[in-house]
Amino acid sequence: MPSLQQARSSNSSSLSALPSIVPTVVVFGATSGIGECIVKLFAQDTKGKARIVLVGRNEEAAKRIIESLPKNESNNEDTEERGNYDFISCDITLMKNIRAFGEELKKKGVQKINYLVLSAGVFSFSGREETEDGLDWKLVSRFYSRFAIIHTLLPMLHEAVAQGEDASILSILGAGQSGKVDFANLGLKSHYAGWKAMIETCGYNDLMVQAYSSRNPRIAFTHIHPGAVDTGVYRFQNPVLNFVVRGLGWPLLRMIMTRPEDCAEWMVYSLLEGARAV
């Protein structure tokens, strides 16, 4: 991975030099943390010439973010050449919501996707909590939803390829962090533990990205570990654990954490480099 300055310079150069197309960017987890910073980076470095779809649950936060994004600096008044920003609410823990999201995207006139970012997820060590689909909430937010999102939106990425444009997918979670996946207990139907659910999903993402990539060689797939990022995610329901981490350990954690703005530069660099490598 390059230095922060190298990544920032590369991103700015690459996005400002895009050909005369309006890239379509879809970011899940876009209303806070790394996802929010990725949205802002794309908008700023393309000088407003991008179609960006923010996906999340916090509509008020999305409105605030969109209002802060730059307008297209081009003098071209053709609406097809001007970037625009949309928010689509989606609770990714339910599979039916992801199917509905795909239909909503089509209703908004989105036909192709150049860059898809999967950043939504939870950080929790609590016990098993099943959704109406019969799947654990943590496993859904960190793996099953990502699988369903890619499956649903893949035709739109292939459309970008058909038009001679970039098509790149980035899953931000924990590449290489899981160790050996327990294939005898997929979905953790037995011997469940919150910490195990968190770790297993990293391995699930490794395998998912590898499999999708082998089946879709003209689309870039990247699974990446962002490291420790100061997004406010380290909050726990257990008051004792929360006090230890957020109280006693916070000064030390802050010393090793990356700002979400800086992390976004590396994430976007990986997204763009992935597209160039295909």
Side-chain angles (χ1 to χ4, degrees), residues 210-248:
Q210 183 179 26
Y212 265 122
S213 179
S214 66
R215 289 165 172 78
N216 302 273
R218 297 183 67 189
I219 297 174
F221 290 83
T222 305
H223 178 207
I224 193 166
H225 178 42
V229 184
D230 188 7
T231 61
V233 71
Y234 299 101
R235 292 184 173 86
F236 307 92
Q237 294 178 342
N238 185 308
V240 175
L241 182 59
N242 204 49
F243 173 73
V244 171
V245 175
R246 300 289 301 179
L248 300 179

PDB file of all heavy atoms in Angstrom, residues 210-248:
ATOM      1  N   GLN A 210     -13.087 -14.010  -3.882  1.00  0.00           N
ATOM      2  CA  GLN A 210     -12.286 -14.870  -4.756  1.00  0.00           C
ATOM      3  C   GLN A 210     -13.176 -15.587  -5.773  1.00  0.00           C
ATOM      4  O   GLN A 210     -12.845 -15.664  -6.962  1.00  0.00           O
ATOM      5  CB  GLN A 210     -11.514 -15.886  -3.922  1.00  0.00           C
ATOM      6  CG  GLN A 210     -10.583 -16.774  -4.739  1.00  0.00           C
ATOM      7  CD  GLN A 210      -9.825 -17.760  -3.867  1.00  0.00           C
ATOM      8  OE1 GLN A 210     -10.275 -18.129  -2.780  1.00  0.00           O
ATOM      9  NE2 GLN A 210      -8.668 -18.185  -4.327  1.00  0.00           N
ATOM     10  N   ALA A 211     -14.314 -16.110  -5.313  1.00  0.00           N
ATOM     11  CA  ALA A 211     -15.210 -16.851  -6.206  1.00  0.00           C
ATOM     12  C   ALA A 211     -15.855 -15.929  -7.238  1.00  0.00           C
ATOM     13  O   ALA A 211     -15.900 -16.266  -8.432  1.00  0.00           O
ATOM     14  CB  ALA A 211     -16.288 -17.556  -5.385  1.00  0.00           C
ATOM     15  N   TYR A 212     -16.338 -14.791  -6.796  1.00  0.00           N
ATOM     16  CA  TYR A 212     -16.952 -13.844  -7.737  1.00  0.00           C
ATOM     17  C   TYR A 212     -15.932 -13.376  -8.771  1.00  0.00           C
ATOM     18  O   TYR A 212     -16.244 -13.219  -9.952  1.00  0.00           O
ATOM     19  CB  TYR A 212     -17.529 -12.644  -6.992  1.00  0.00           C
ATOM     20  CG  TYR A 212     -18.997 -12.755  -6.666  1.00  0.00           C
ATOM     21  CD1 TYR A 212     -19.447 -12.678  -5.350  1.00  0.00           C
ATOM     22  CD2 TYR A 212     -19.949 -12.900  -7.675  1.00  0.00           C
ATOM     23  CE1 TYR A 212     -20.799 -12.765  -5.049  1.00  0.00           C
ATOM     24  CE2 TYR A 212     -21.296 -12.987  -7.385  1.00  0.00           C
ATOM     25  CZ  TYR A 212     -21.720 -12.918  -6.069  1.00  0.00           C
ATOM     26  OH  TYR A 212     -23.061 -13.007  -5.783  1.00  0.00           O
ATOM     27  N   SER A 213     -14.707 -13.129  -8.330  1.00  0.00           N
ATOM     28  CA  SER A 213     -13.673 -12.657  -9.234  1.00  0.00           C
ATOM     29  C   SER A 213     -13.367 -13.681 -10.317  1.00  0.00           C
ATOM     30  O   SER A 213     -13.205 -13.344 -11.499  1.00  0.00           O
ATOM     31  CB  SER A 213     -12.398 -12.329  -8.451  1.00  0.00           C
ATOM     32  OG  SER A 213     -11.380 -11.883  -9.307  1.00  0.00           O
ATOM     33  N   SER A 214     -13.284 -14.957  -9.936  1.00  0.00           N
ATOM     34  CA  SER A 214     -12.966 -16.002 -10.912  1.00  0.00           C
ATOM     35  C   SER A 214     -14.081 -16.171 -11.927  1.00  0.00           C
ATOM     36  O   SER A 214     -13.829 -16.557 -13.070  1.00  0.00           O
ATOM     37  CB  SER A 214     -12.709 -17.334 -10.195  1.00  0.00           C
ATOM     38  OG  SER A 214     -13.890 -17.816  -9.572  1.00  0.00           O
ATOM     39  N   ARG A 215     -15.324 -15.849 -11.537  1.00  0.00           N
ATOM     40  CA  ARG A 215     -16.460 -15.997 -12.438  1.00  0.00           C
ATOM     41  C   ARG A 215     -16.726 -14.739 -13.270  1.00  0.00           C
ATOM     42  O   ARG A 215     -17.472 -14.801 -14.246  1.00  0.00           O
ATOM     43  CB  ARG A 215     -17.722 -16.346 -11.641  1.00  0.00           C
ATOM     44  CG  ARG A 215     -17.706 -17.756 -11.061  1.00  0.00           C
ATOM     45  CD  ARG A 215     -18.788 -17.933 -10.002  1.00  0.00           C
ATOM     46  NE  ARG A 215     -18.913 -19.314  -9.584  1.00  0.00           N
ATOM     47  CZ  ARG A 215     -18.106 -19.945  -8.745  1.00  0.00           C
ATOM     48  NH1 ARG A 215     -17.048 -19.299  -8.256  1.00  0.00           N
ATOM     49  NH2 ARG A 215     -18.310 -21.203  -8.411  1.00  0.00           N
ATOM     50  N   ASN A 216     -16.141 -13.632 -12.863  1.00  0.00           N
ATOM     51  CA  ASN A 216     -16.372 -12.360 -13.556  1.00  0.00           C
ATOM     52  C   ASN A 216     -15.029 -11.661 -13.784  1.00  0.00           C
ATOM     53  O   ASN A 216     -14.735 -10.631 -13.158  1.00  0.00           O
ATOM     54  CB  ASN A 216     -17.297 -11.462 -12.731  1.00  0.00           C
ATOM     55  CG  ASN A 216     -18.642 -12.109 -12.449  1.00  0.00           C
ATOM     56  OD1 ASN A 216     -19.573 -12.016 -13.235  1.00  0.00           O
ATOM     57  ND2 ASN A 216     -18.752 -12.782 -11.304  1.00  0.00           N
ATOM     58  N   PRO A 217     -14.197 -12.185 -14.665  1.00  0.00           N
ATOM     59  CA  PRO A 217     -12.819 -11.694 -14.813  1.00  0.00           C
ATOM     60  C   PRO A 217     -12.689 -10.261 -15.311  1.00  0.00           C
ATOM     61  O   PRO A 217     -11.618  -9.669 -15.178  1.00  0.00           O
ATOM     62  CB  PRO A 217     -12.206 -12.686 -15.822  1.00  0.00           C
ATOM     63  CG  PRO A 217     -13.373 -13.236 -16.579  1.00  0.00           C
ATOM     64  CD  PRO A 217     -14.489 -13.316 -15.586  1.00  0.00           C
ATOM     65  N   ARG A 218     -13.744  -9.692 -15.854  1.00  0.00           N
ATOM     66  CA  ARG A 218     -13.651  -8.316 -16.366  1.00  0.00           C
ATOM     67  C   ARG A 218     -14.097  -7.283 -15.325  1.00  0.00           C
ATOM     68  O   ARG A 218     -14.122  -6.089 -15.608  1.00  0.00           O
ATOM     69  CB  ARG A 218     -14.485  -8.180 -17.646  1.00  0.00           C
ATOM     70  CG  ARG A 218     -13.988  -9.073 -18.787  1.00  0.00           C
ATOM     71  CD  ARG A 218     -14.771  -8.858 -20.046  1.00  0.00           C
ATOM     72  NE  ARG A 218     -14.551  -7.525 -20.593  1.00  0.00           N
ATOM     73  CZ  ARG A 218     -15.254  -7.007 -21.610  1.00  0.00           C
ATOM     74  NH1 ARG A 218     -16.224  -7.718 -22.167  1.00  0.00           N
ATOM     75  NH2 ARG A 218     -15.001  -5.797 -22.047  1.00  0.00           N
ATOM     76  N   ILE A 219     -14.452  -7.756 -14.144  1.00  0.00           N
ATOM     77  CA  ILE A 219     -14.824  -6.865 -13.039  1.00  0.00           C
ATOM     78  C   ILE A 219     -13.807  -7.045 -11.914  1.00  0.00           C
ATOM     79  O   ILE A 219     -13.420  -8.172 -11.592  1.00  0.00           O
ATOM     80  CB  ILE A 219     -16.242  -7.174 -12.527  1.00  0.00           C
ATOM     81  CG1 ILE A 219     -17.270  -6.925 -13.642  1.00  0.00           C
ATOM     82  CG2 ILE A 219     -16.583  -6.331 -11.296  1.00  0.00           C
ATOM     83  CD1 ILE A 219     -18.683  -7.334 -13.273  1.00  0.00           C
ATOM     84  N   ALA A 220     -13.370  -5.951 -11.335  1.00  0.00           N
ATOM     85  CA  ALA A 220     -12.395  -6.013 -10.240  1.00  0.00           C
ATOM     86  C   ALA A 220     -13.114  -6.245  -8.917  1.00  0.00           C
ATOM     87  O   ALA A 220     -14.072  -5.538  -8.593  1.00  0.00           O
ATOM     88  CB  ALA A 220     -11.595  -4.713 -10.177  1.00  0.00           C
ATOM     89  N   PHE A 221     -12.659  -7.221  -8.158  1.00  0.00           N
ATOM     90  CA  PHE A 221     -13.196  -7.515  -6.826  1.00  0.00           C
ATOM     91  C   PHE A 221     -12.058  -7.410  -5.814  1.00  0.00           C
ATOM     92  O   PHE A 221     -11.010  -8.044  -5.985  1.00  0.00           O
ATOM     93  CB  PHE A 221     -13.788  -8.922  -6.767  1.00  0.00           C
ATOM     94  CG  PHE A 221     -15.053  -9.106  -7.548  1.00  0.00           C
ATOM     95  CD1 PHE A 221     -15.004  -9.355  -8.912  1.00  0.00           C
ATOM     96  CD2 PHE A 221     -16.290  -9.032  -6.929  1.00  0.00           C
ATOM     97  CE1 PHE A 221     -16.168  -9.532  -9.640  1.00  0.00           C
ATOM     98  CE2 PHE A 221     -17.458  -9.209  -7.650  1.00  0.00           C
ATOM     99  CZ  PHE A 221     -17.398  -9.461  -9.015  1.00  0.00           C
ATOM    100  N   THR A 222     -12.267  -6.635  -4.773  1.00  0.00           N
ATOM    101  CA  THR A 222     -11.245  -6.460  -3.744  1.00  0.00           C
ATOM    102  C   THR A 222     -11.873  -6.571  -2.364  1.00  0.00           C
ATOM    103  O   THR A 222     -12.891  -5.937  -2.072  1.00  0.00           O
ATOM    104  CB  THR A 222     -10.560  -5.082  -3.864  1.00  0.00           C
ATOM    105  OG1 THR A 222     -10.037  -4.913  -5.173  1.00  0.00           O
ATOM    106  CG2 THR A 222      -9.432  -4.949  -2.849  1.00  0.00           C
ATOM    107  N   HIS A 223     -11.272  -7.389  -1.506  1.00  0.00           N
ATOM    108  CA  HIS A 223     -11.636  -7.430  -0.091  1.00  0.00           C
ATOM    109  C   HIS A 223     -10.456  -6.837   0.669  1.00  0.00           C
ATOM    110  O   HIS A 223      -9.305  -7.233   0.452  1.00  0.00           O
ATOM    111  CB  HIS A 223     -11.893  -8.869   0.370  1.00  0.00           C
ATOM    112  CG  HIS A 223     -12.217  -8.985   1.825  1.00  0.00           C
ATOM    113  ND1 HIS A 223     -11.957 -10.122   2.570  1.00  0.00           N
ATOM    114  CD2 HIS A 223     -12.798  -8.107   2.686  1.00  0.00           C
ATOM    115  CE1 HIS A 223     -12.357  -9.933   3.812  1.00  0.00           C
ATOM    116  NE2 HIS A 223     -12.862  -8.714   3.915  1.00  0.00           N
ATOM    117  N   ILE A 224     -10.721  -5.871   1.530  1.00  0.00           N
ATOM    118  CA  ILE A 224      -9.634  -5.132   2.169  1.00  0.00           C
ATOM    119  C   ILE A 224      -9.885  -4.966   3.665  1.00  0.00           C
ATOM    120  O   ILE A 224     -11.031  -4.870   4.116  1.00  0.00           O
ATOM    121  CB  ILE A 224      -9.464  -3.746   1.496  1.00  0.00           C
ATOM    122  CG1 ILE A 224      -8.150  -3.091   1.908  1.00  0.00           C
ATOM    123  CG2 ILE A 224     -10.651  -2.838   1.791  1.00  0.00           C
ATOM    124  CD1 ILE A 224      -7.778  -1.902   1.035  1.00  0.00           C
ATOM    125  N   HIS A 225      -8.804  -4.960   4.411  1.00  0.00           N
ATOM    126  CA  HIS A 225      -8.862  -4.719   5.855  1.00  0.00           C
ATOM    127  C   HIS A 225      -8.431  -3.273   6.113  1.00  0.00           C
ATOM    128  O   HIS A 225      -7.280  -2.923   5.834  1.00  0.00           O
ATOM    129  CB  HIS A 225      -7.923  -5.685   6.581  1.00  0.00           C
ATOM    130  CG  HIS A 225      -7.877  -5.487   8.072  1.00  0.00           C
ATOM    131  ND1 HIS A 225      -8.997  -5.240   8.824  1.00  0.00           N
ATOM    132  CD2 HIS A 225      -6.833  -5.506   8.941  1.00  0.00           C
ATOM    133  CE1 HIS A 225      -8.657  -5.125  10.091  1.00  0.00           C
ATOM    134  NE2 HIS A 225      -7.343  -5.275  10.187  1.00  0.00           N
ATOM    135  N   PRO A 226      -9.317  -2.420   6.619  1.00  0.00           N
ATOM    136  CA  PRO A 226      -8.962  -1.004   6.797  1.00  0.00           C
ATOM    137  C   PRO A 226      -8.094  -0.721   8.017  1.00  0.00           C
ATOM    138  O   PRO A 226      -7.608   0.395   8.181  1.00  0.00           O
ATOM    139  CB  PRO A 226     -10.329  -0.335   6.938  1.00  0.00           C
ATOM    140  CG  PRO A 226     -11.172  -1.375   7.605  1.00  0.00           C
ATOM    141  CD  PRO A 226     -10.710  -2.688   7.007  1.00  0.00           C
ATOM    142  N   GLY A 227      -7.926  -1.725   8.892  1.00  0.00           N
ATOM    143  CA  GLY A 227      -7.197  -1.489  10.124  1.00  0.00           C
ATOM    144  C   GLY A 227      -8.084  -0.810  11.161  1.00  0.00           C
ATOM    145  O   GLY A 227      -9.315  -0.770  11.029  1.00  0.00           O
ATOM    146  N   ALA A 228      -7.488  -0.267  12.181  1.00  0.00           N
ATOM    147  CA  ALA A 228      -8.234   0.423  13.241  1.00  0.00           C
ATOM    148  C   ALA A 228      -8.526   1.855  12.795  1.00  0.00           C
ATOM    149  O   ALA A 228      -7.609   2.640  12.579  1.00  0.00           O
ATOM    150  CB  ALA A 228      -7.434   0.426  14.539  1.00  0.00           C
ATOM    151  N   VAL A 229      -9.804   2.173  12.647  1.00  0.00           N
ATOM    152  CA  VAL A 229     -10.215   3.485  12.153  1.00  0.00           C
ATOM    153  C   VAL A 229     -11.122   4.141  13.182  1.00  0.00           C
ATOM    154  O   VAL A 229     -12.022   3.508  13.731  1.00  0.00           O
ATOM    155  CB  VAL A 229     -10.955   3.359  10.798  1.00  0.00           C
ATOM    156  CG1 VAL A 229     -11.280   4.737  10.243  1.00  0.00           C
ATOM    157  CG2 VAL A 229     -10.117   2.565   9.806  1.00  0.00           C
ATOM    158  N   ASP A 230     -10.895   5.404  13.425  1.00  0.00           N
ATOM    159  CA  ASP A 230     -11.638   6.142  14.449  1.00  0.00           C
ATOM    160  C   ASP A 230     -13.010   6.575  13.916  1.00  0.00           C
ATOM    161  O   ASP A 230     -13.238   7.734  13.601  1.00  0.00           O
ATOM    162  CB  ASP A 230     -10.833   7.371  14.887  1.00  0.00           C
ATOM    163  CG  ASP A 230     -11.464   8.077  16.075  1.00  0.00           C
ATOM    164  OD1 ASP A 230     -12.434   7.545  16.642  1.00  0.00           O
ATOM    165  OD2 ASP A 230     -10.976   9.167  16.430  1.00  0.00           O
ATOM    166  N   THR A 231     -13.929   5.595  13.817  1.00  0.00           N
ATOM    167  CA  THR A 231     -15.270   5.882  13.302  1.00  0.00           C
ATOM    168  C   THR A 231     -16.331   5.889  14.399  1.00  0.00           C
ATOM    169  O   THR A 231     -17.503   6.054  14.116  1.00  0.00           O
ATOM    170  CB  THR A 231     -15.677   4.835  12.255  1.00  0.00           C
ATOM    171  OG1 THR A 231     -15.693   3.535  12.875  1.00  0.00           O
ATOM    172  CG2 THR A 231     -14.702   4.830  11.087  1.00  0.00           C
ATOM    173  N   GLY A 232     -15.925   5.645  15.645  1.00  0.00           N
ATOM    174  CA  GLY A 232     -16.891   5.570  16.734  1.00  0.00           C
ATOM    175  C   GLY A 232     -17.539   4.212  16.848  1.00  0.00           C
ATOM    176  O   GLY A 232     -18.511   4.034  17.577  1.00  0.00           O
ATOM    177  N   VAL A 233     -16.993   3.218  16.118  1.00  0.00           N
ATOM    178  CA  VAL A 233     -17.611   1.900  16.099  1.00  0.00           C
ATOM    179  C   VAL A 233     -17.356   1.115  17.387  1.00  0.00           C
ATOM    180  O   VAL A 233     -18.092   0.202  17.721  1.00  0.00           O
ATOM    181  CB  VAL A 233     -17.101   1.086  14.886  1.00  0.00           C
ATOM    182  CG1 VAL A 233     -15.653   0.675  15.059  1.00  0.00           C
ATOM    183  CG2 VAL A 233     -17.973  -0.141  14.647  1.00  0.00           C
ATOM    184  N   TYR A 234     -16.318   1.483  18.109  1.00  0.00           N
ATOM    185  CA  TYR A 234     -15.958   0.714  19.289  1.00  0.00           C
ATOM    186  C   TYR A 234     -16.795   1.118  20.497  1.00  0.00           C
ATOM    187  O   TYR A 234     -16.314   1.665  21.486  1.00  0.00           O
ATOM    188  CB  TYR A 234     -14.462   0.878  19.583  1.00  0.00           C
ATOM    189  CG  TYR A 234     -13.581   0.394  18.461  1.00  0.00           C
ATOM    190  CD1 TYR A 234     -12.998   1.293  17.571  1.00  0.00           C
ATOM    191  CD2 TYR A 234     -13.367  -0.962  18.276  1.00  0.00           C
ATOM    192  CE1 TYR A 234     -12.206   0.843  16.519  1.00  0.00           C
ATOM    193  CE2 TYR A 234     -12.573  -1.424  17.231  1.00  0.00           C
ATOM    194  CZ  TYR A 234     -12.000  -0.518  16.356  1.00  0.00           C
ATOM    195  OH  TYR A 234     -11.224  -0.960  15.319  1.00  0.00           O
ATOM    196  N   ARG A 235     -18.087   0.800  20.393  1.00  0.00           N
ATOM    197  CA  ARG A 235     -19.024   1.013  21.495  1.00  0.00           C
ATOM    198  C   ARG A 235     -19.760  -0.291  21.737  1.00  0.00           C
ATOM    199  O   ARG A 235     -20.154  -0.966  20.795  1.00  0.00           O
ATOM    200  CB  ARG A 235     -20.017   2.139  21.161  1.00  0.00           C
ATOM    201  CG  ARG A 235     -19.373   3.513  21.092  1.00  0.00           C
ATOM    202  CD  ARG A 235     -20.423   4.600  20.859  1.00  0.00           C
ATOM    203  NE  ARG A 235     -19.857   5.924  20.951  1.00  0.00           N
ATOM    204  CZ  ARG A 235     -19.282   6.577  19.955  1.00  0.00           C
ATOM    205  NH1 ARG A 235     -19.212   6.001  18.769  1.00  0.00           N
ATOM    206  NH2 ARG A 235     -18.778   7.784  20.117  1.00  0.00           N
ATOM    207  N   PHE A 236     -19.951  -0.633  23.001  1.00  0.00           N
ATOM    208  CA  PHE A 236     -20.499  -1.943  23.333  1.00  0.00           C
ATOM    209  C   PHE A 236     -21.711  -1.799  24.255  1.00  0.00           C
ATOM    210  O   PHE A 236     -21.829  -0.842  25.022  1.00  0.00           O
ATOM    211  CB  PHE A 236     -19.425  -2.802  24.023  1.00  0.00           C
ATOM    212  CG  PHE A 236     -18.142  -2.895  23.239  1.00  0.00           C
ATOM    213  CD1 PHE A 236     -17.100  -1.998  23.465  1.00  0.00           C
ATOM    214  CD2 PHE A 236     -17.988  -3.858  22.261  1.00  0.00           C
ATOM    215  CE1 PHE A 236     -15.920  -2.083  22.740  1.00  0.00           C
ATOM    216  CE2 PHE A 236     -16.804  -3.943  21.531  1.00  0.00           C
ATOM    217  CZ  PHE A 236     -15.770  -3.055  21.768  1.00  0.00           C
ATOM    218  N   GLN A 237     -22.603  -2.804  24.174  1.00  0.00           N
ATOM    219  CA  GLN A 237     -23.785  -2.815  25.038  1.00  0.00           C
ATOM    220  C   GLN A 237     -23.403  -3.121  26.481  1.00  0.00           C
ATOM    221  O   GLN A 237     -24.035  -2.643  27.415  1.00  0.00           O
ATOM    222  CB  GLN A 237     -24.799  -3.841  24.522  1.00  0.00           C
ATOM    223  CG  GLN A 237     -25.395  -3.492  23.160  1.00  0.00           C
ATOM    224  CD  GLN A 237     -26.354  -4.549  22.659  1.00  0.00           C
ATOM    225  OE1 GLN A 237     -26.356  -5.679  23.129  1.00  0.00           O
ATOM    226  NE2 GLN A 237     -27.172  -4.170  21.699  1.00  0.00           N
ATOM    227  N   ASN A 238     -22.360  -3.930  26.655  1.00  0.00           N
ATOM    228  CA  ASN A 238     -21.884  -4.257  27.995  1.00  0.00           C
ATOM    229  C   ASN A 238     -21.218  -3.022  28.602  1.00  0.00           C
ATOM    230  O   ASN A 238     -20.198  -2.555  28.092  1.00  0.00           O
ATOM    231  CB  ASN A 238     -20.889  -5.425  27.916  1.00  0.00           C
ATOM    232  CG  ASN A 238     -20.449  -5.898  29.292  1.00  0.00           C
ATOM    233  OD1 ASN A 238     -20.016  -5.111  30.125  1.00  0.00           O
ATOM    234  ND2 ASN A 238     -20.553  -7.194  29.523  1.00  0.00           N
ATOM    235  N   PRO A 239     -21.770  -2.464  29.706  1.00  0.00           N
ATOM    236  CA  PRO A 239     -21.221  -1.218  30.266  1.00  0.00           C
ATOM    237  C   PRO A 239     -19.793  -1.353  30.784  1.00  0.00           C
ATOM    238  O   PRO A 239     -19.016  -0.406  30.706  1.00  0.00           O
ATOM    239  CB  PRO A 239     -22.200  -0.881  31.405  1.00  0.00           C
ATOM    240  CG  PRO A 239     -22.865  -2.175  31.736  1.00  0.00           C
ATOM    241  CD  PRO A 239     -22.946  -2.934  30.459  1.00  0.00           C
ATOM    242  N   VAL A 240     -19.437  -2.522  31.300  1.00  0.00           N
ATOM    243  CA  VAL A 240     -18.083  -2.729  31.810  1.00  0.00           C
ATOM    244  C   VAL A 240     -17.086  -2.718  30.650  1.00  0.00           C
ATOM    245  O   VAL A 240     -16.059  -2.035  30.696  1.00  0.00           O
ATOM    246  CB  VAL A 240     -17.986  -4.053  32.592  1.00  0.00           C
ATOM    247  CG1 VAL A 240     -16.533  -4.301  33.012  1.00  0.00           C
ATOM    248  CG2 VAL A 240     -18.900  -4.032  33.800  1.00  0.00           C
ATOM    249  N   LEU A 241     -17.409  -3.479  29.590  1.00  0.00           N
ATOM    250  CA  LEU A 241     -16.539  -3.518  28.417  1.00  0.00           C
ATOM    251  C   LEU A 241     -16.442  -2.147  27.773  1.00  0.00           C
ATOM    252  O   LEU A 241     -15.366  -1.719  27.340  1.00  0.00           O
ATOM    253  CB  LEU A 241     -17.073  -4.541  27.405  1.00  0.00           C
ATOM    254  CG  LEU A 241     -16.244  -4.753  26.126  1.00  0.00           C
ATOM    255  CD1 LEU A 241     -14.835  -5.211  26.479  1.00  0.00           C
ATOM    256  CD2 LEU A 241     -16.937  -5.762  25.218  1.00  0.00           C
ATOM    257  N   ASN A 242     -17.553  -1.445  27.725  1.00  0.00           N
ATOM    258  CA  ASN A 242     -17.566  -0.113  27.135  1.00  0.00           C
ATOM    259  C   ASN A 242     -16.672   0.841  27.929  1.00  0.00           C
ATOM    260  O   ASN A 242     -15.953   1.667  27.345  1.00  0.00           O
ATOM    261  CB  ASN A 242     -18.993   0.425  27.088  1.00  0.00           C
ATOM    262  CG  ASN A 242     -19.177   1.478  26.015  1.00  0.00           C
ATOM    263  OD1 ASN A 242     -18.793   1.285  24.868  1.00  0.00           O
ATOM    264  ND2 ASN A 242     -19.748   2.612  26.391  1.00  0.00           N
ATOM    265  N   PHE A 243     -16.697   0.725  29.274  1.00  0.00           N
ATOM    266  CA  PHE A 243     -15.872   1.587  30.120  1.00  0.00           C
ATOM    267  C   PHE A 243     -14.392   1.286  29.914  1.00  0.00           C
ATOM    268  O   PHE A 243     -13.566   2.205  29.806  1.00  0.00           O
ATOM    269  CB  PHE A 243     -16.230   1.384  31.590  1.00  0.00           C
ATOM    270  CG  PHE A 243     -15.320   2.115  32.539  1.00  0.00           C
ATOM    271  CD1 PHE A 243     -15.390   3.502  32.679  1.00  0.00           C
ATOM    272  CD2 PHE A 243     -14.368   1.418  33.274  1.00  0.00           C
ATOM    273  CE1 PHE A 243     -14.529   4.174  33.538  1.00  0.00           C
ATOM    274  CE2 PHE A 243     -13.508   2.087  34.132  1.00  0.00           C
ATOM    275  CZ  PHE A 243     -13.588   3.466  34.262  1.00  0.00           C
ATOM    276  N   VAL A 244     -14.051  -0.008  29.827  1.00  0.00           N
ATOM    277  CA  VAL A 244     -12.654  -0.399  29.664  1.00  0.00           C
ATOM    278  C   VAL A 244     -12.114   0.114  28.336  1.00  0.00           C
ATOM    279  O   VAL A 244     -11.014   0.680  28.261  1.00  0.00           O
ATOM    280  CB  VAL A 244     -12.502  -1.932  29.746  1.00  0.00           C
ATOM    281  CG1 VAL A 244     -11.087  -2.356  29.352  1.00  0.00           C
ATOM    282  CG2 VAL A 244     -12.835  -2.422  31.149  1.00  0.00           C
ATOM    283  N   VAL A 245     -12.914  -0.091  27.252  1.00  0.00           N
ATOM    284  CA  VAL A 245     -12.441   0.282  25.917  1.00  0.00           C
ATOM    285  C   VAL A 245     -12.539   1.782  25.685  1.00  0.00           C
ATOM    286  O   VAL A 245     -11.572   2.440  25.289  1.00  0.00           O
ATOM    287  CB  VAL A 245     -13.235  -0.482  24.834  1.00  0.00           C
ATOM    288  CG1 VAL A 245     -12.823  -0.002  23.439  1.00  0.00           C
ATOM    289  CG2 VAL A 245     -12.982  -1.979  24.961  1.00  0.00           C
ATOM    290  N   ARG A 246     -13.742   2.341  25.930  1.00  0.00           N
ATOM    291  CA  ARG A 246     -13.976   3.751  25.617  1.00  0.00           C
ATOM    292  C   ARG A 246     -13.403   4.687  26.669  1.00  0.00           C
ATOM    293  O   ARG A 246     -13.129   5.859  26.384  1.00  0.00           O
ATOM    294  CB  ARG A 246     -15.478   4.021  25.486  1.00  0.00           C
ATOM    295  CG  ARG A 246     -16.190   3.240  24.407  1.00  0.00           C
ATOM    296  CD  ARG A 246     -15.832   3.702  23.033  1.00  0.00           C
ATOM    297  NE  ARG A 246     -16.138   5.110  22.823  1.00  0.00           N
ATOM    298  CZ  ARG A 246     -15.899   5.772  21.702  1.00  0.00           C
ATOM    299  NH1 ARG A 246     -15.333   5.156  20.684  1.00  0.00           N
ATOM    300  NH2 ARG A 246     -16.213   7.039  21.575  1.00  0.00           N
ATOM    301  N   GLY A 247     -13.231   4.185  27.877  1.00  0.00           N
ATOM    302  CA  GLY A 247     -12.705   5.026  28.946  1.00  0.00           C
ATOM    303  C   GLY A 247     -11.211   4.853  29.148  1.00  0.00           C
ATOM    304  O   GLY A 247     -10.402   5.677  28.738  1.00  0.00           O
ATOM    305  N   LEU A 248     -10.837   3.723  29.728  1.00  0.00           N
ATOM    306  CA  LEU A 248      -9.445   3.505  30.088  1.00  0.00           C
ATOM    307  C   LEU A 248      -8.530   3.334  28.868  1.00  0.00           C
ATOM    308  O   LEU A 248      -7.415   3.848  28.842  1.00  0.00           O
ATOM    309  CB  LEU A 248      -9.341   2.261  30.984  1.00  0.00           C
ATOM    310  CG  LEU A 248     -10.121   2.316  32.305  1.00  0.00           C
ATOM    311  CD1 LEU A 248      -9.947   1.020  33.079  1.00  0.00           C
ATOM    312  CD2 LEU A 248      -9.669   3.508  33.152  1.00  0.00           C
TER     313      LEU A 248
END
